[in-house]
């Protein structure tokens, strides 16, 4: 008994000594030099923040990091929806020389940043939701959207073949997107179809393009004509325009499975499955690495479910109250297989 206690005390002492030796919390340890330097970050939003979950989370991550680190300053710049102006806007912001780092997010940004980088060889760029390597000024992080689309497609497949209230008999699910780009065409739509076809190979995906990231009326019209054509479950990647799809689904009776964010409460019984993309967490971690001087430029990293940056929200009443037990059991088992790496697939090239 006493021997046991002595062991515990010695163990605790060793832990204390160890933690101060190996950089654990200790009153004497001075902050690392890097952490006292000012870090000025331009959070460059290619669009508008409101209504776009990836951008809302990008800003939230940068601002929460800055709030916890007084020497970190952030400036959020909303570039708006005219993509033809983005490069010029970014060039003049970088030309001010005010920012140590440009932090931005979307798959079209690497080429644009590479062009700006050529003119400003000391400027560093971090781009999430993008895949680009080989430029020593740029670091990228890609969410595995094939994987998220695969499991949301599997849920859509279970629903479209079910007896749920709004399920139709056509085995047709829908994907409404703002514009076509490689991540959408090569990862998200194929993943969504592949997931649904794991349930039933006869399921097809009806893909429609809005043409911009803000027109909710156009999105609503597309959704309406798709429902008439037999679509009963939608995925939507459309920023603020997604509201039009949600409204039409509520009015005419159809379901949505939602990428990236918990949206159950905005349409209970209609939005019946939500994925999550941990962009806020990723940004906080990246900025900690930047500040510690550990960030690798020139490289690209892909993150998904296994790494803890994508998942599905299965404990929300928007899911548990509206999706029948039988479907949830099948879907939850599939999600477990995804988490454990038991679902094999080849990630298509972008
Ligand atoms: N997603 C949004 O939520 N809002 C946007 O305004 C937006 N604009 C985009 C513009 C371009 C040119 C591209 C390629 C993607 C855009 N995305 C936008 C998509 C976003 O970056 C991401 O790929 C999807 O949301 C899937 O996670």
């Amino acid at each position: 008994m006493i021997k046991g206690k002595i062991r515990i005390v010695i163990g605790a002492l060793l832990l204390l000594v160890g933690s101060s030796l190996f950089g654990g919390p200790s009153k004497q340890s001075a902050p690392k030099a890097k952490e006292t330097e000012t870090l000025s970050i331009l959070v460059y939003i290619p669009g508008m923040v409101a209504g776009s979950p990836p951008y809302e989370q990008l800003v939230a991550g940068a601002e929460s990091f800055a709030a916890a680190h007084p020497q970190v300053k952030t400036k959020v710049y909303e570039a708006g929806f005219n993509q033809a102006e983005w490069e010029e806007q970014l060039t003049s912001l970088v030309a001010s020389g005010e920012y140590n780092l440009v932090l931005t997010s979307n798959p079209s940004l690497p080429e644009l940043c590479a062009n700006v980088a050529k003119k400003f060889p000391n400027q560093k760029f971090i781009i999430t939701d993008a895949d680009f390597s080989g430029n020593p000024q740029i670091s990228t992080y890609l969410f595995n959207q094939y994987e998220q689309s695969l499991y949301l497609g599997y849920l859509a497949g279970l629903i479209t073949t079910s007896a749920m209230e709004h399920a139709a008999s056509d085995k047709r699910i829908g994907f409404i997107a703002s514009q076509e780009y490689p991540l959408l065409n090569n990862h998200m739509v194929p993943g969504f179809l592949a997931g649904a076809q794991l349930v039933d190979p006869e399921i097809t995906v009806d893909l429609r393009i809005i043409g911009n990231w803000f027109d909710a009326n156009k999105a609503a019209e597309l959704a309406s004509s798709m429902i008439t054509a037999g679509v009963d479950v939608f995925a939507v990647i459309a920023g603020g325009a997604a509201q039009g799809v949600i409204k039409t689904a509520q009015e005419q009776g159809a379901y949505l499975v939602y990428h990236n964010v918990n949206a159950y409460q905005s349409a209970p019984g209609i939005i019946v499955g939500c994925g999550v993309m941990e962009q806020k967490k990723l940004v906080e971690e990246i900025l900690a690495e930047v500040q510690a001087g550990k960030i690798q430029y020139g490289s690209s990293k892909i993150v998904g479910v296994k790494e803890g940056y994508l998942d599905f929200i299965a404990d929300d009443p928007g899911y548990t109250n509206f999706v029948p037990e039988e479907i949830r059991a099948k879907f939850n088992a599939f999600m477990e297989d995804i988490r454990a790496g038991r679902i094999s697939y080849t990630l298509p090239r972008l």
Side-chain angles (χ1 to χ4, degrees):
M1 200 44 192
I2 291 175
K3 259 191 184 169
K5 270 192 186 159
I6 290 172
R7 265 195 214 129
I8 291 170
V9 171
I10 292 174
L13 279 173
L14 281 174
L15 267 181
L16 266 178
V17 173
S19 67
S20 50
L21 273 181
F22 297 110
S26 148
K27 277 186 188 148
Q28 279 108 44
S29 68
K32 291 195 200 92
K34 285 270 178 200
E35 286 171 14
T36 57
E37 287 168 15
T38 303
L39 174 62
S40 177
I41 307 168
L42 172 66
V43 185
Y44 181 83
I45 303 296
M48 305 290 283
V49 179
S52 291
Y55 300 160
E56 287 169 349
Q57 293 176 31
L58 185 77
V59 172
E63 289 186 342
S64 83
F65 189 79
H69 300 85
Q71 67 282 29
V72 177
K73 306 269 172 279
T74 55
K75 158 97 180 133
V76 177
Y77 180 87
E78 288 181 299
F81 294 113
N82 187 346
Q83 295 173 17
E85 290 176 356
W86 289 354
E87 188 171 324
E88 203 181 308
Q89 286 167 320
L90 186 58
T91 303
S92 59
L93 289 160
V94 168
S96 73
E98 280 175 46
Y99 307 104
N100 309 103
L101 178 67
V102 172
L103 175 67
T104 185
S105 179
N106 102 26
S108 76
L109 265 294
E111 279 76 17
L112 203 151
C113 290
N115 290 342
V116 180
K118 266 188 240 154
K119 294 179 211 144
F120 303 95
N122 294 324
Q123 184 65 57
K124 296 288 196 284
F125 301 84
I126 288 173
I127 313 168
T128 63
D129 192 21
D131 183 31
F132 190 76
S133 49
N135 184 315
Q137 290 172 254
I138 300 176
S139 173
T140 64
Y141 297 80
L142 184 74
F143 294 98
N144 184 347
Q145 291 290 9
Y146 183 88
E147 190 177 46
Q148 186 178 196
S149 302
L150 186 78
Y151 57 77
L152 291 179
Y154 187 80
L155 180 58
L158 291 172
I159 294 171
T160 193
T161 54
S162 75
M164 282 173 70
E165 188 190 350
H166 303 310
S169 58
D170 305 71
K171 297 187 181 176
R172 183 180 304 189
I173 58 178
F175 203 128
I176 298 185
S178 281
Q179 76 180 78
E180 299 200 69
Y181 54 104
L183 185 70
L184 181 92
N185 292 105
N186 302 336
H187 281 190
M188 303 186 86
V189 176
F192 195 58
L193 178 63
Q197 289 188 340
L198 288 175
V199 177
D200 184 335
E202 288 180 2
I203 295 172
T204 58
V205 172
D206 185 354
L207 169 68
R208 310 276 181 110
I209 306 297
I210 303 165
N212 62 60
W213 293 87
F214 52 83
D215 192 347
N217 289 332
K218 174 88 187 289
E221 278 168 27
L222 290 175
S224 180
S225 80
M226 291 162 84
I227 292 170
T228 308
V231 168
D232 50 4
V233 189
F234 288 93
V236 55
I237 294 293
Q243 295 310 313
V245 182
I246 297 171
K247 189 164 159 280
T248 302
Q250 282 173 317
E251 286 167 3
Q252 298 181 20
Y255 301 107
L256 279 89
V257 291
Y258 219 80
H259 283 78
N260 299 337
V261 68
N262 185 340
Y264 288 110
Q265 291 320 306
S266 56
I270 297 295
I271 298 181
V272 287
C274 294
V276 268
M277 170 174 109
E278 300 285 358
Q279 166 109 299
K280 178 171 182 271
K281 176 177 97 164
L282 179 67
V283 165
E284 288 165 347
E285 290 170 1
I286 292 170
L287 293 180
E289 285 199 7
V290 169
Q291 225 197 353
K294 288 188 191 151
I295 196 90
Q296 292 275 323
Y297 288 96
S299 68
S300 170
K301 198 171 164 191
I302 299 184
V303 293
V305 173
K306 218 172 43 266
E307 295 80 15
Y309 296 91
L310 291 176
D311 214 316
F312 180 87
I313 303 163
D315 60 357
D316 192 288
Y319 176 65
T320 53
N321 289 352
F322 294 100
V323 178
E325 162 79 49
E326 194 198 340
I327 295 181
R328 280 187 283 125
K330 282 188 191 155
F331 180 72
N332 294 347
F334 185 75
M335 247 354 263
E336 272 314 306
D337 285 344
I338 289 264
R339 287 189 194 103
R342 285 190 293 265
I343 303 293
S344 63
Y345 61 84
T346 310
L347 188 64
R349 286 176 68 95
L350 272 181

